[in-house]
Amino acid sequence: MVKQIWMESGQRLQDSLAEALKHKGEVVDFQLTPSAGYAAVKTPEGRVEAFVVPYSVDFRQPAPRAVRFGIQSERDNPRQAAAPQSFVERLSPAVADGDATWRQRCWAGMVDRHVALSVLRPGDVVMLAKEIESNHGRLRPDYYAVRASDHGFTVLESLRTGKSSLVHNVASDVVNVNLDPDPMMRLSQHPAVVRFGMQRVARNDEQEHYVLLGRSASGALVPLAKATGTEDRDFMLQRIWEVSQLRQESLRNLNGSPVYAYMADHGLADAVVEQGRGEEPVLLQDLKIEVTPLNPEQEVVYDGPGSDG
């Protein structure tokens, strides 16, 4: 049965869908993908069971947006089975063939995704583990997108400069960065990211590949998410919009926090703002550290821990 709810401006999609599951029990975990949500629900009997919530929403429409969704129990072995292993592991033991089969399909899907990471495809984001030779000289360890790969040759596009280079037998020297359209997990691993940008990569491919890039205040580059196609791209942009809303809300509440009081009392507020803009704080520029050398004429006597001095 298809249901419909309305998502107001500033409301997160996962919160809206989790709210629609309250009649099933307490939602203790909710994982969102571009086509379905996966909810771990603690039932009144104390069991933690999974519910799959396939949904559709047009993020390009102004708020309030219509969200059409359904609710399927894992016991019915629903078609969508992309729940992460960490999600499945917190569920109570399976009680029927349907939920056991569904969890097995989630595990098999996870294995397939890991196997796919060992094959370089257009749009993949990789990290060079060491310097390698290319037709444009040596490439330093950094993040690159794969433009093409065939017969041992790979075209890498620098995410920092956008320049492409041809390399040979690079598979053993790169680490495939596991990215999906949801940047939340990577953001939790890289809390220093303060700026965001989106870059289209592998333009020679038939599909559209987009990479969401983050930068720390010091300028360090961090790939956060990857989208293939307009649906995944709209989902990725919606999620990063939600992040910006949450950060703005936390800034509004900063004045009354102990952290802000400490910064104000110690004259650090301006330095924090300057660092957030990627500038060197004036406080550090003016900081002078003096080291007084030991007087060479002063005799220091130490006879070990057993001495009386």
Side-chain angles (χ1 to χ4, degrees):
M1 179 181 178
V2 178
K3 303 179 181 180
Q4 180 171 292
I5 55 176
W6 293 91
M7 187 171 65
E8 301 292 339
S9 177
Q11 187 177 20
R12 298 195 305 169
L13 176 59
Q14 65 192 70
D15 293 340
S16 303
L17 295 175
E19 182 70 19
L21 282 165
K22 287 182 62 175
H23 66 286
K24 297 291 186 180
E26 179 189 358
V27 179
V28 296
D29 191 8
F30 197 97
Q31 301 288 331
L32 196 62
T33 72
S35 58
Y38 297 89
V41 178
K42 187 175 183 179
T43 66
E45 295 77 23
R47 286 182 49 81
V48 180
E49 300 180 351
F51 287 88
V52 180
V53 189
Y55 70 89
S56 63
V57 57
D58 188 351
F59 292 117
R60 290 166 292 190
Q61 295 297 320
R65 300 181 180 92
V67 182
R68 295 170 59 84
F69 68 97
I71 300 176
Q72 301 172 357
S73 170
E74 62 171 334
R75 299 185 186 185
D76 298 326
N77 191 14
R79 180 174 61 85
Q80 290 90 350
Q85 193 63 22
S86 59
F87 174 92
V88 175
E89 288 175 351
R90 70 179 306 176
L91 301 175
S92 298
V95 296
D97 291 340
D99 49 354
T101 301
W102 180 81
R103 297 181 190 186
Q104 179 71 17
R105 289 172 53 220
C106 288
W107 178 82
M110 180 270 296
V111 172
D112 290 342
R113 288 191 292 272
H114 280 287
V115 171
L117 287 176
S118 63
V119 181
L120 297 180
R121 294 183 176 87
D124 284 352
V125 174
V126 299
M127 175 68 178
L128 277 186
K130 65 178 184 179
E131 285 194 353
I132 61 173
E133 293 291 344
S134 76
N135 64 325
H136 289 147
R138 297 187 68 82
L139 299 182
R140 65 171 185 168
D142 205 349
Y143 290 107
Y144 297 83
V146 177
R147 293 199 62 176
S149 185
D150 193 18
H151 297 292
F153 290 92
T154 304
V155 179
L156 296 179
E157 176 183 334
S158 171
L159 294 183
R160 192 176 302 275
T161 66
K163 183 178 179 180
S164 296
S165 303
L166 179 67
V167 297
H168 182 48
N169 291 334
V170 73
S172 61
D173 299 321
V174 300
V175 177
N176 205 328
V177 183
N178 186 14
L179 298 176
D180 57 41
D182 193 344
M184 297 303 188
M185 179 61 73
R186 294 275 292 177
L187 275 174
S188 67
Q189 299 168 351
H190 300 275
V193 170
V194 294
R195 297 192 298 273
F196 306 95
M198 189 173 68
Q199 185 171 322
R200 186 178 174 191
V201 297
R203 294 173 177 267
N204 58 303
D205 189 54
E206 294 181 356
Q207 302 187 70
E208 294 182 319
H209 304 278
Y210 302 89
V211 176
L212 180 68
L213 299 175
R215 289 186 182 273
S216 66
S218 62
L221 184 71
V222 181
L224 297 172
K226 185 185 73 173
T228 301
T230 56
E231 181 180 354
D232 283 1
R233 181 200 62 193
D234 291 345
F235 173 83
M236 184 172 69
L237 292 176
Q238 171 68 18
R239 294 294 273 170
I240 208 61
W241 178 84
E242 292 173 354
V243 170
S244 67
Q245 294 296 307
L246 291 174
R247 290 190 173 185
Q248 287 180 15
E249 189 63 31
S250 65
L251 288 175
R252 293 190 188 100
N253 299 327
L254 182 62
N255 286 351
S257 72
V259 175
Y260 181 81
Y262 180 87
M263 291 190 301
D265 293 343
H266 293 78
L268 299 174
D270 290 340
V272 171
V273 172
E274 291 160 0
Q275 188 179 40
R277 292 199 298 258
E279 304 170 1
E280 182 182 4
V282 176
L283 184 68
L284 294 182
Q285 295 174 357
D286 296 339
L287 183 63
K288 296 181 180 179
I289 300 177
E290 296 183 358
V291 179
T292 303
L294 189 67
N295 187 344
E297 298 179 358
Q298 181 181 359
E299 184 178 358
V300 179
V301 179
Y302 177 66
D303 295 329
S307 65
D308 296 334

